[in-house]
Coordinates of all heavy atoms in Angstrom, one line a residue:
A377 N 0.9 16.5 18.6 CA -0.4 17.0 18.3 C -0.5 18.5 18.0 O 0.2 19.2 18.6 CB -1.3 16.7 19.6
V378 N -1.4 18.8 17.1 CA -1.7 20.2 16.8 C -3.2 20.4 16.9 O -4.0 19.4 16.8 CB -1.3 20.6 15.3 CG1 0.3 20.6 15.2 CG2 -1.9 19.7 14.3
S379 N -3.6 21.6 17.1 CA -5.1 21.9 17.2 C -5.5 22.7 16.0 O -4.6 23.3 15.3 CB -5.4 22.7 18.5 OG -5.1 24.0 18.3
N380 N -6.8 22.8 15.8 CA -7.2 23.8 14.8 C -8.2 24.7 15.4 O -9.3 25.0 14.9 CB -7.8 23.1 13.5 CG -9.1 22.4 13.7 OD1 -9.4 22.1 14.8 ND2 -9.8 22.3 12.6
T381 N -7.8 25.3 16.5 CA -8.6 26.3 17.2 C -8.5 27.6 16.3 O -9.4 28.4 16.4 CB -8.0 26.7 18.6 OG1 -6.6 26.6 18.5 CG2 -8.5 25.7 19.6
E382 N -7.5 27.7 15.5 CA -7.4 28.8 14.5 C -7.0 28.3 13.2 O -6.5 27.1 13.1 CB -6.3 29.8 15.0 CG -5.0 29.2 15.2 CD -4.1 30.1 16.1 OE1 -4.2 30.1 17.3 OE2 -3.1 30.6 15.5
P383 N -7.3 29.0 12.1 CA -7.0 28.5 10.7 C -5.6 28.1 10.6 O -4.7 28.9 11.0 CB -7.4 29.6 9.8 CG -8.3 30.5 10.6 CD -7.9 30.4 12.1
W384 N -5.3 27.0 9.9 CA -3.9 26.6 9.6 C -3.4 27.5 8.4 O -4.1 28.1 7.7 CB -3.9 25.1 9.1 CG -4.2 24.1 10.2 CD1 -4.8 24.4 11.4 CD2 -3.9 22.7 10.1 NE1 -4.9 23.2 12.1 CE2 -4.4 22.1 11.4 CE3 -3.4 21.9 9.2 CZ2 -4.3 20.8 11.6 CZ3 -3.3 20.5 9.5 CH2 -3.7 20.0 10.7
D385 N -2.1 27.5 8.3 CA -1.4 28.3 7.4 C -1.9 27.9 6.0 O -1.7 26.7 5.5 CB 0.1 28.0 7.5 CG 0.9 28.8 6.5 OD1 1.0 30.1 6.7 OD2 1.3 28.3 5.5
T386 N -2.4 28.8 5.2 CA -3.1 28.5 3.9 C -2.0 28.0 2.9 O -2.3 27.1 2.1 CB -3.9 29.6 3.4 OG1 -3.1 30.8 3.5 CG2 -5.2 29.8 4.1
A387 N -0.8 28.6 2.9 CA 0.2 28.2 1.9 C 0.6 26.8 2.1 O 0.7 26.0 1.1 CB 1.4 29.2 2.0
A388 N 0.9 26.4 3.4 CA 1.3 25.0 3.7 C 0.1 24.1 3.2 O 0.4 23.1 2.5 CB 1.5 24.9 5.2
L389 N -1.0 24.4 3.6 CA -2.2 23.5 3.3 C -2.3 23.3 1.7 O -2.5 22.3 1.2 CB -3.5 24.1 3.8 CG -3.9 23.7 5.2 CD1 -5.2 24.5 5.6 CD2 -4.2 22.2 5.3
A390 N -2.1 24.5 1.0 CA -2.2 24.4 -0.5 C -1.1 23.5 -1.0 O -1.4 22.7 -1.9 CB -2.2 25.8 -1.0
A391 N 0.1 23.7 -0.5 CA 1.2 22.9 -1.0 C 0.9 21.3 -0.7 O 1.1 20.5 -1.6 CB 2.5 23.3 -0.4
W392 N 0.5 21.0 0.4 CA 0.2 19.6 0.8 C -1.0 19.1 -0.1 O -1.0 18.0 -0.5 CB -0.2 19.5 2.3 CG 1.0 19.9 3.2 CD1 2.2 20.0 2.9 CD2 0.8 20.3 4.6 NE1 3.0 20.4 4.0 CE2 2.0 20.6 5.0 CE3 -0.3 20.4 5.4 CZ2 2.3 21.0 6.4 CZ3 -0.1 20.9 6.7 CH2 1.2 21.1 7.2
R393 N -2.0 20.0 -0.3 CA -3.2 19.5 -1.1 C -2.7 19.2 -2.5 O -3.2 18.2 -3.1 CB -4.2 20.6 -1.1 CG -5.6 20.2 -1.3 CD -6.6 21.3 -1.2 NE -6.8 21.9 0.1 CZ -7.5 21.3 1.0 NH1 -8.1 20.1 0.8 NH2 -7.6 21.9 2.2
D394 N -1.8 19.9 -3.0 CA -1.3 19.7 -4.3 C -0.6 18.4 -4.4 O -0.7 17.6 -5.4 CB -0.2 20.9 -4.6 CG -0.1 21.1 -6.1 OD1 -1.0 21.0 -6.8 OD2 1.1 21.2 -6.5
L395 N 0.2 18.0 -3.4 CA 0.9 16.7 -3.4 C -0.1 15.6 -3.4 O 0.2 14.5 -3.8 CB 1.8 16.6 -2.1 CG 3.1 17.4 -2.1 CD1 3.8 17.2 -0.7 CD2 4.0 16.9 -3.2
A396 N -1.3 15.8 -2.8 CA -2.2 14.7 -2.6 C -2.9 14.3 -3.9 O -3.6 13.3 -4.0 CB -3.2 15.1 -1.5
Q397 N -2.8 15.2 -4.9 CA -3.6 15.0 -6.1 C -3.1 13.8 -6.9 O -1.9 13.6 -7.0 CB -3.5 16.3 -7.1 CG -4.1 17.5 -6.5 CD -5.5 17.3 -6.0 OE1 -6.3 16.8 -6.7 NE2 -5.8 17.8 -4.8
P398 N -4.0 13.1 -7.6 CA -3.5 12.0 -8.5 C -2.7 12.8 -9.6 O -2.9 13.9 -10.0 CB -4.8 11.6 -9.2 CG -5.9 11.9 -8.2 CD -5.5 13.2 -7.6
R399 N -1.7 12.0 -10.1 CA -0.8 12.6 -11.2 C -0.5 11.5 -12.1 O -0.6 10.3 -11.9 CB 0.4 13.3 -10.6 CG 1.6 12.4 -10.3 CD 1.6 11.8 -8.9 NE 1.2 12.6 -7.8 CZ 2.1 13.2 -7.0 NH1 3.4 13.1 -7.2 NH2 1.6 13.9 -6.0
L400 N 0.1 11.9 -13.3 CA 0.5 10.9 -14.3 C 1.9 10.5 -14.1 O 2.8 11.4 -13.8 CB 0.3 11.5 -15.7 CG -1.1 11.8 -16.2 CD1 -1.1 12.3 -17.6 CD2 -2.0 10.5 -16.1
I401 N 2.3 9.2 -14.3 CA 3.6 8.8 -14.4 C 4.2 9.5 -15.7 O 3.6 9.5 -16.7 CB 3.7 7.3 -14.7 CG1 3.1 6.5 -13.5 CG2 5.2 6.8 -15.0 CD1 4.1 6.0 -12.5
P402 N 5.4 10.2 -15.6 CA 5.9 11.0 -16.7 C 5.9 10.2 -18.0 O 6.3 9.1 -17.9 CB 7.3 11.4 -16.2 CG 7.2 11.4 -14.7 CD 6.2 10.3 -14.4
D403 N 5.5 10.8 -19.1 CA 5.5 10.2 -20.4 C 4.6 9.0 -20.6 O 4.8 8.2 -21.4 CB 7.0 9.8 -20.9 CG 7.9 11.0 -20.7 OD1 7.5 12.1 -21.1 OD2 9.1 10.8 -20.3
T404 N 3.6 8.9 -19.7 CA 2.7 7.8 -19.8 C 1.3 8.4 -19.6 O 1.1 9.5 -19.2 CB 2.9 6.6 -18.8 OG1 2.4 7.1 -17.5 CG2 4.4 6.2 -18.7
A405 N 0.2 7.5 -19.7 CA -1.1 7.9 -19.4 C -1.5 7.2 -18.1 O -2.7 7.1 -17.8 CB -2.0 7.5 -20.5
F406 N -0.6 6.7 -17.3 CA -0.9 6.0 -16.0 C -1.1 7.0 -14.9 O -0.2 7.8 -14.6 CB 0.2 5.0 -15.7 CG 0.4 3.9 -16.8 CD1 1.6 3.6 -17.3 CD2 -0.7 3.0 -17.1 CE1 1.8 2.6 -18.2 CE2 -0.6 2.0 -18.0 CZ 0.7 1.8 -18.5
T407 N -2.2 6.8 -14.2 CA -2.5 7.6 -13.0 C -2.0 7.0 -11.7 O -2.2 5.8 -11.6 CB -4.0 7.8 -12.9 OG1 -4.5 8.5 -14.1 CG2 -4.4 8.7 -11.7
V408 N -1.3 7.7 -10.9 CA -1.0 7.2 -9.6 C -1.3 8.3 -8.5 O -1.6 9.4 -8.8 CB 0.6 6.9 -9.5 CG1 0.9 5.7 -10.4 CG2 1.3 8.2 -10.0
V409 N -1.2 7.8 -7.2 CA -1.4 8.7 -6.1 C -0.3 8.5 -5.1 O 0.3 7.4 -5.1 CB -2.8 8.5 -5.4 CG1 -3.9 9.0 -6.3 CG2 -2.9 7.1 -4.9
P410 N 0.0 9.5 -4.2 CA 1.1 9.3 -3.3 C 0.9 8.0 -2.4 O -0.2 7.8 -2.0 CB 1.1 10.5 -2.4 CG 0.2 11.5 -3.1 CD -0.6 10.8 -4.1
G411 N 2.0 7.3 -2.2 CA 1.9 6.2 -1.2 C 1.8 4.9 -1.9 O 2.2 3.8 -1.2
V412 N 1.4 4.8 -3.1 CA 1.3 3.5 -3.8 C 2.7 3.0 -4.3 O 3.5 3.8 -4.5 CB 0.2 3.4 -4.9 CG1 -1.1 3.9 -4.5 CG2 0.7 4.3 -6.1
F413 N 2.8 1.7 -4.5 CA 4.1 1.2 -4.9 C 4.4 1.9 -6.3 O 3.6 2.0 -7.2 CB 4.0 -0.3 -5.1 CG 5.2 -0.9 -5.8 CD1 6.4 -1.1 -5.1 CD2 5.2 -1.2 -7.1 CE1 7.5 -1.6 -5.7 CE2 6.3 -1.8 -7.8 CZ 7.5 -1.9 -7.1
S414 N 5.7 2.3 -6.5 CA 6.2 2.8 -7.7 C 5.4 4.0 -8.2 O 4.9 3.9 -9.3 CB 6.3 1.7 -8.7 OG 7.3 2.0 -9.7
A415 N 5.2 5.0 -7.3 CA 4.3 6.1 -7.7 C 5.0 7.2 -8.6 O 4.3 8.1 -9.1 CB 3.8 6.8 -6.4
G416 N 6.3 7.0 -8.8 CA 7.0 8.0 -9.6 C 7.4 7.6 -11.0 O 7.8 8.3 -11.9
H417 N 7.4 6.2 -11.2 CA 7.9 5.7 -12.4 C 7.4 4.2 -12.6 O 6.9 3.6 -11.6 CB 9.5 5.6 -12.4 CG 10.0 4.8 -11.2 ND1 10.1 5.4 -9.9 CD2 10.4 3.6 -11.1 CE1 10.5 4.5 -9.1 NE2 10.7 3.3 -9.8
I418 N 7.6 3.7 -13.8 CA 7.3 2.2 -14.0 C 8.4 1.5 -13.3 O 9.6 1.8 -13.5 CB 7.2 1.9 -15.5 CG1 5.9 2.7 -16.1 CG2 7.1 0.4 -15.7 CD1 5.9 2.7 -17.6
D419 N 8.0 0.5 -12.5 CA 9.0 -0.3 -11.8 C 9.9 -1.1 -12.9 O 9.4 -1.7 -13.7 CB 8.4 -1.3 -10.9 CG 9.4 -2.2 -10.2 OD1 10.2 -1.7 -9.4 OD2 9.5 -3.4 -10.5
P420 N 11.2 -0.9 -12.8 CA 12.1 -1.5 -13.9 C 12.0 -3.1 -13.8 O 12.1 -3.7 -14.9 CB 13.5 -1.1 -13.5 CG 13.5 -0.5 -12.2 CD 12.0 -0.1 -11.9
G421 N 11.7 -3.7 -12.7 CA 11.5 -5.1 -12.6 C 10.3 -5.5 -13.4 O 10.3 -6.5 -14.2
S422 N 9.2 -4.8 -13.2 CA 8.0 -5.1 -13.9 C 8.1 -4.8 -15.4 O 7.6 -5.6 -16.2 CB 6.8 -4.3 -13.3 OG 6.6 -4.6 -12.0
A423 N 8.9 -3.8 -15.8 CA 9.1 -3.5 -17.2 C 9.8 -4.7 -17.8 O 9.5 -5.0 -19.0 CB 9.9 -2.2 -17.3
L424 N 10.8 -5.2 -17.1 CA 11.5 -6.4 -17.6 C 10.6 -7.6 -17.8 O 10.7 -8.3 -18.8 CB 12.7 -6.7 -16.7 CG 13.7 -7.7 -17.2 CD1 14.5 -7.2 -18.4 CD2 14.7 -8.1 -16.1
L425 N 9.8 -7.9 -16.8 CA 8.9 -9.0 -16.9 C 7.9 -8.8 -18.1 O 7.6 -9.7 -18.9 CB 8.0 -9.2 -15.6 CG 7.0 -10.2 -15.6 CD1 7.5 -11.6 -16.0 CD2 6.2 -10.3 -14.2
A426 N 7.5 -7.6 -18.3 CA 6.5 -7.3 -19.4 C 7.2 -7.7 -20.8 O 6.5 -8.2 -21.6 CB 6.1 -5.8 -19.4
Q427 N 8.5 -7.5 -20.9 CA 9.2 -7.8 -22.1 C 9.2 -9.3 -22.3 O 9.4 -9.8 -23.5 CB 10.7 -7.4 -22.1 CG 10.9 -5.9 -22.2 CD 12.3 -5.5 -21.9 OE1 13.2 -6.3 -22.1 NE2 12.5 -4.3 -21.5
H428 N 9.0 -10.1 -21.3 CA 9.1 -11.6 -21.4 C 7.7 -12.3 -21.4 O 7.6 -13.5 -21.3 CB 10.0 -12.1 -20.3 CG 11.5 -11.8 -20.5 ND1 12.2 -12.7 -21.3 CD2 12.2 -10.9 -20.1 CE1 13.4 -12.2 -21.3 NE2 13.5 -11.0 -20.6
L429 N 6.6 -11.5 -21.4 CA 5.3 -12.1 -21.3 C 5.0 -12.7 -22.7 O 5.1 -12.0 -23.7 CB 4.3 -11.1 -21.0 CG 4.2 -10.6 -19.6 CD1 3.1 -9.6 -19.4 CD2 4.1 -11.7 -18.5
P430 N 4.8 -14.0 -22.8 CA 4.6 -14.6 -24.1 C 3.3 -14.2 -24.7 O 2.3 -14.2 -24.0 CB 4.6 -16.1 -23.9 CG 4.8 -16.3 -22.4 CD 4.8 -15.0 -21.7
P431 N 3.2 -13.8 -26.0 CA 2.0 -13.4 -26.6 C 0.9 -14.4 -26.6 O -0.2 -14.2 -26.8 CB 2.4 -12.9 -28.0 CG 3.9 -12.9 -28.1 CD 4.4 -13.6 -26.9
S432 N 1.4 -15.7 -26.3 CA 0.4 -16.8 -26.3 C -0.4 -16.9 -25.1 O -1.2 -17.9 -25.0 CB 1.2 -18.1 -26.6 OG 2.2 -18.3 -25.6
L433 N -0.1 -16.1 -24.1 CA -0.9 -16.2 -22.9 C -2.5 -16.1 -23.2 O -2.8 -15.3 -24.0 CB -0.6 -15.1 -21.9 CG 0.8 -15.1 -21.2 CD1 0.9 -14.1 -20.1 CD2 1.2 -16.5 -20.7
R434 N -3.2 -17.0 -22.6 CA -4.6 -17.0 -23.1 C -5.6 -17.4 -21.8 O -5.1 -17.7 -20.8 CB -4.9 -18.1 -24.1 CG -4.1 -19.4 -23.8 CD -4.7 -20.6 -24.6 NE -5.9 -21.1 -24.0 CZ -6.0 -21.8 -22.9 NH1 -5.0 -22.2 -22.2 NH2 -7.2 -22.2 -22.5
G435 N -6.8 -17.2 -22.0 CA -7.8 -17.6 -21.0 C -7.8 -16.6 -19.8 O -7.7 -15.4 -20.0
E436 N -8.0 -17.2 -18.7 CA -8.1 -16.4 -17.4 C -6.8 -16.2 -16.7 O -6.1 -17.2 -16.4 CB -9.1 -17.0 -16.5 CG -10.6 -17.0 -17.1 CD -11.5 -18.0 -16.6 OE1 -11.2 -18.9 -15.7 OE2 -12.7 -17.9 -16.9
V437 N -6.5 -15.0 -16.4 CA -5.2 -14.6 -15.9 C -5.4 -13.9 -14.6 O -6.4 -13.1 -14.4 CB -4.4 -13.7 -16.9 CG1 -3.1 -13.2 -16.3 CG2 -4.2 -14.5 -18.2
A438 N -4.5 -14.1 -13.6 CA -4.5 -13.3 -12.4 C -3.2 -12.5 -12.3 O -2.2 -13.0 -12.6 CB -4.7 -14.2 -11.1
D439 N -3.3 -11.2 -11.8 CA -2.1 -10.4 -11.5 C -2.2 -10.2 -10.0 O -3.1 -9.6 -9.5 CB -2.3 -9.1 -12.3 CG -1.2 -8.1 -12.0 OD1 -0.3 -8.4 -11.2 OD2 -1.2 -7.0 -12.7
I440 N -1.2 -10.9 -9.3 CA -1.3 -10.8 -7.9 C -0.3 -9.8 -7.3 O 0.9 -9.8 -7.7 CB -1.1 -12.3 -7.2 CG1 0.1 -13.0 -7.6 CG2 -2.3 -13.1 -7.6 CD1 0.3 -14.3 -6.8
G441 N -0.8 -8.8 -6.5 CA 0.0 -7.7 -6.1 C 0.1 -6.8 -7.3 O 1.2 -6.3 -7.7
A442 N -1.1 -6.4 -7.8 CA -1.2 -5.8 -9.1 C -0.8 -4.3 -9.1 O -0.7 -3.7 -10.2 CB -2.6 -6.0 -9.7
G443 N -0.7 -3.7 -7.9 CA -0.4 -2.3 -7.9 C -1.3 -1.5 -8.6 O -2.6 -1.6 -8.6
W444 N -0.8 -0.4 -9.4 CA -1.7 0.5 -10.2 C -1.9 -0.1 -11.6 O -2.5 0.6 -12.5 CB -1.2 1.9 -10.2 CG 0.3 2.1 -10.5 CD1 1.3 2.4 -9.6 CD2 0.9 2.0 -11.8 NE1 2.5 2.5 -10.3 CE2 2.3 2.3 -11.7 CE3 0.5 1.8 -13.1 CZ2 3.2 2.4 -12.7 CZ3 1.4 1.9 -14.2 CH2 2.7 2.2 -13.9
G445 N -1.5 -1.4 -11.8 CA -2.0 -2.0 -13.0 C -1.0 -2.2 -14.2 O -1.4 -2.6 -15.3
F446 N 0.3 -1.9 -13.9 CA 1.2 -1.9 -15.0 C 1.2 -3.3 -15.8 O 1.1 -3.3 -17.0 CB 2.6 -1.5 -14.6 CG 3.6 -1.7 -15.7 CD1 3.6 -0.8 -16.8 CD2 4.4 -2.8 -15.7 CE1 4.6 -1.1 -17.8 CE2 5.4 -3.0 -16.8 CZ 5.4 -2.1 -17.8
L447 N 1.4 -4.3 -15.0 CA 1.6 -5.7 -15.6 C 0.3 -6.1 -16.3 O 0.4 -6.7 -17.4 CB 2.0 -6.7 -14.5 CG 3.4 -6.8 -14.1 CD1 3.6 -7.8 -13.0 CD2 4.3 -7.1 -15.3
S448 N -0.8 -5.9 -15.7 CA -2.1 -6.2 -16.3 C -2.2 -5.5 -17.7 O -2.7 -6.0 -18.7 CB -3.2 -5.9 -15.4 OG -3.2 -6.8 -14.4
N449 N -1.9 -4.2 -17.6 CA -2.0 -3.4 -18.8 C -1.2 -4.0 -20.0 O -1.6 -4.1 -21.1 CB -1.6 -2.0 -18.5 CG -1.8 -1.1 -19.8 OD1 -2.9 -0.7 -20.2 ND2 -0.7 -0.8 -20.4
A450 N 0.1 -4.3 -19.6 CA 1.0 -4.9 -20.6 C 0.5 -6.2 -21.1 O 0.5 -6.5 -22.3 CB 2.4 -5.1 -19.9
A451 N -0.1 -7.0 -20.2 CA -0.5 -8.4 -20.6 C -1.7 -8.2 -21.6 O -1.8 -8.8 -22.7 CB -1.0 -9.2 -19.4
L452 N -2.6 -7.3 -21.3 CA -3.8 -7.1 -22.1 C -3.4 -6.6 -23.5 O -4.0 -6.9 -24.5 CB -4.9 -6.2 -21.5 CG -5.7 -6.8 -20.4 CD1 -6.6 -5.8 -19.7 CD2 -6.5 -8.0 -20.9
A453 N -2.3 -5.7 -23.5 CA -1.9 -5.1 -24.7 C -1.1 -6.1 -25.6 O -1.2 -6.1 -26.8 CB -1.0 -3.9 -24.4
Q454 N -0.4 -7.0 -24.9 CA 0.5 -7.9 -25.7 C -0.1 -9.3 -26.0 O 0.4 -10.0 -26.8 CB 1.8 -8.1 -24.9 CG 2.6 -6.9 -24.7 CD 3.8 -7.0 -23.7 OE1 4.1 -6.0 -23.1 NE2 4.3 -8.2 -23.6
C455 N -1.2 -9.7 -25.3 CA -1.6 -11.1 -25.4 C -3.1 -11.1 -25.8 O -4.0 -11.0 -24.9 CB -1.4 -11.8 -24.0 SG 0.2 -11.5 -23.4
P456 N -3.4 -11.1 -27.0 CA -4.8 -10.9 -27.5 C -5.8 -12.0 -27.1 O -7.0 -11.8 -27.1 CB -4.7 -10.8 -29.0 CG -3.4 -11.4 -29.4 CD -2.5 -11.2 -28.2
N457 N -5.3 -13.2 -26.6 CA -6.1 -14.3 -26.3 C -6.5 -14.4 -24.8 O -7.1 -15.3 -24.4 CB -5.5 -15.6 -26.8 CG -5.4 -15.7 -28.3 OD1 -6.4 -15.2 -29.0 ND2 -4.3 -16.1 -28.8
I458 N -6.1 -13.3 -24.1 CA -6.6 -13.3 -22.6 C -8.0 -12.9 -22.7 O -8.5 -11.9 -23.2 CB -5.7 -12.2 -21.9 CG1 -4.3 -12.7 -21.7 CG2 -6.4 -12.0 -20.5 CD1 -3.4 -11.7 -20.9
S459 N -8.9 -13.8 -22.0 CA -10.3 -13.5 -22.0 C -10.6 -12.6 -20.8 O -11.6 -11.8 -20.8 CB -11.1 -14.8 -21.9 OG -10.7 -15.6 -20.8
R460 N -9.9 -12.7 -19.7 CA -10.1 -11.9 -18.5 C -8.9 -11.9 -17.6 O -8.2 -12.8 -17.5 CB -11.3 -12.4 -17.7 CG -11.9 -11.4 -16.7 CD -12.9 -12.0 -15.8 NE -12.3 -12.8 -14.8 CZ -12.6 -14.2 -14.6 NH1 -13.5 -14.7 -15.4 NH2 -12.0 -14.8 -13.7
I461 N -8.7 -10.7 -17.0 CA -7.6 -10.6 -16.1 C -8.2 -10.1 -14.7 O -8.9 -9.1 -14.7 CB -6.4 -9.7 -16.6 CG1 -5.2 -9.9 -15.7 CG2 -6.8 -8.3 -16.8 CD1 -3.9 -9.6 -16.5
D462 N -7.8 -10.8 -13.6 CA -8.3 -10.4 -12.4 C -7.1 -9.8 -11.6 O -6.0 -10.4 -11.5 CB -8.8 -11.7 -11.6 CG -10.1 -12.2 -12.1 OD1 -10.7 -11.5 -12.9 OD2 -10.5 -13.3 -11.7
L463 N -7.3 -8.6 -11.1 CA -6.2 -7.9 -10.4 C -6.5 -8.0 -8.9 O -7.6 -7.6 -8.4 CB -6.1 -6.4 -10.7 CG -5.6 -6.1 -12.1 CD1 -6.8 -6.1 -13.1 CD2 -5.0 -4.7 -12.2
F464 N -5.5 -8.6 -8.1 CA -5.6 -8.7 -6.7 C -4.6 -7.8 -6.1 O -3.4 -8.0 -6.3 CB -5.4 -10.2 -6.3 CG -6.4 -11.1 -6.8 CD1 -6.3 -11.8 -7.9 CD2 -7.6 -11.3 -6.1 CE1 -7.2 -12.7 -8.4 CE2 -8.6 -12.2 -6.5 CZ -8.4 -12.9 -7.7
E465 N -5.0 -6.9 -5.2 CA -4.1 -5.9 -4.6 C -4.5 -5.5 -3.2 O -5.7 -5.3 -3.0 CB -4.0 -4.7 -5.6 CG -3.3 -3.4 -5.1 CD -1.9 -3.7 -4.6 OE1 -1.1 -4.3 -5.3 OE2 -1.6 -3.2 -3.5
A466 N -3.6 -5.4 -2.3 CA -3.9 -5.1 -1.0 C -4.2 -3.6 -0.7 O -4.8 -3.2 0.3 CB -2.7 -5.5 0.0

Side-chain angles (χ1 to χ4, degrees):
V378 291
S379 79
N380 73 339
T381 41
E382 54 197 76
W384 291 16
D385 181 77
T386 43
L389 272 175
W392 300 337
R393 205 178 290 286
D394 203 39
L395 284 177
Q397 295 309 310
R399 82 273 320 259
L400 293 180
I401 298 259
D403 305 322
T404 77
F406 296 125
T407 297
V408 288
V409 292
V412 303
F413 172 79
S414 204
H417 58 278
I418 292 166
D419 179 66
S422 296
L424 189 65
L425 175 55
Q427 286 171 25
H428 287 274
L429 290 179
S432 57
L433 293 189
R434 44 163 282 282
E436 289 159 358
V437 176
D439 178 357
I440 57 175
W444 48 257
F446 172 75
L447 278 177
S448 292
N449 181 75
L452 285 174
Q454 295 168 211
C455 313
N457 295 321
I458 291 178
S459 55
R460 194 189 75 239
I461 191 155
D462 288 350
L463 289 85
F464 294 94
E465 169 57 45

